[in-house]
């Protein structure tokens, strides 16, 4: 297969053919590597804000408080994903006081790679008999879980 003459390696045709096949296969692997989904990335909530206060500006009822939130979903992948819903993660102390509202926010939309989407929601909390300090100590949103369909 190889002949060495004065420091020069000469390859036979079969040796050259094997090296050429190897280079072509490596080229295909390299080209397709960039186009495959990046499974190390994910679809996450990249940030959120929340606030608690009166159910409405006309309502002075201290027995109920509204917990409102806004969050940004980020598709940190290099492929399109379909987001079905986002689950709001709450401590049980806060979840036990929910009078209305759902911890699963429907999204039902496709998201392009590296794109964002906004979601909003609210919970009405039963705060009857609680002081302001006790309401604050119920806890806060602990995070979000994004559910996607493959």
């Amino acid at each position: 297969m190889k002949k060495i003459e004065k420091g020069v390696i000469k390859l036979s045709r079969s040796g050259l053919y094997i090296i050429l096949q190897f280079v072509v296969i490596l080229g295909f692997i390299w080209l397709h590597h960039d186009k495959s989904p990046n499974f190390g990335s994910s679809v996450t909530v990249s940030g959120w804000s929340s606030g608690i206060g009166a159910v409405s500006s006309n309502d002075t009822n201290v027995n109920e408080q509204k917990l409102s939130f806004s969050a940004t979903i980020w598709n940190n992948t290099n492929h399109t994903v379909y987001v079905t819903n986002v689950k709001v993660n709450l401590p049980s102390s806060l979840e036990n006081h929910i009078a209305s509202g759902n911890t699963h926010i429907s999204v039902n939309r496709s998201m392009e790679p590296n794109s964002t989407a906004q979601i909003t929601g609210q919970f009405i909390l039963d705060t009857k008999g609680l002081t302001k300090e006790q309401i604050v100590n119920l806890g806060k949103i602990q995070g979000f879980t994004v559910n996607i369909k493959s």
Side-chain angles (χ1 to χ4, degrees):
M1 186 165 159
K2 298 186 229 179
K3 294 181 184 177
I4 300 179
E5 291 180 11
K6 296 183 183 179
V8 176
I9 299 175
K10 291 187 176 184
L11 296 174
S12 66
R13 262 187 183 201
S14 61
L16 187 58
Y17 181 70
I18 290 171
I19 290 174
L20 183 60
Q21 282 181 328
F22 182 72
V23 169
V24 169
I25 290 170
L26 281 177
F28 277 118
I29 291 170
W30 179 73
L31 285 173
H32 290 287
H33 176 71
D34 288 344
K35 294 179 182 173
S36 61
N38 184 354
F39 293 107
S41 300
S42 62
V43 182
T44 62
V45 169
S46 59
W48 73 85
S49 62
S50 64
I52 193 165
V55 174
S56 74
S57 58
N58 299 333
D59 190 1
T60 58
N61 181 1
V62 293
N63 293 330
E64 292 183 329
Q65 295 290 303
K66 178 170 54 174
L67 171 63
S68 302
F69 63 89
S70 175
T72 302
I73 306 168
W74 179 31
N75 178 4
N76 182 24
T77 70
N78 60 5
H79 58 282
T80 301
V81 296
Y82 187 83
V83 178
T84 56
N85 63 58
V86 175
K87 182 183 183 306
V88 184
N89 300 320
L90 300 171
S92 59
S93 57
L94 186 57
E95 200 164 342
N96 292 337
H97 284 272
I98 294 177
S100 68
N102 194 337
T103 58
H104 284 81
I105 309 302
S106 292
V107 178
N108 295 320
R109 70 175 270 197
S110 291
M111 291 184 65
E112 296 296 319
N114 202 33
S115 65
T116 60
Q118 293 292 118
I119 60 166
T120 59
Q122 65 183 24
F123 301 103
I124 304 299
L125 305 175
D126 177 4
T127 56
K128 185 176 183 178
L130 298 178
T131 65
K132 183 178 178 180
E133 183 179 276
Q134 289 172 320
I135 294 169
V136 170
N137 288 334
L138 289 175
K140 57 185 178 178
I141 295 173
Q142 295 177 321
F144 296 83
T145 303
V146 180
N147 297 305
I148 61 172
K149 186 189 291 186
S150 5

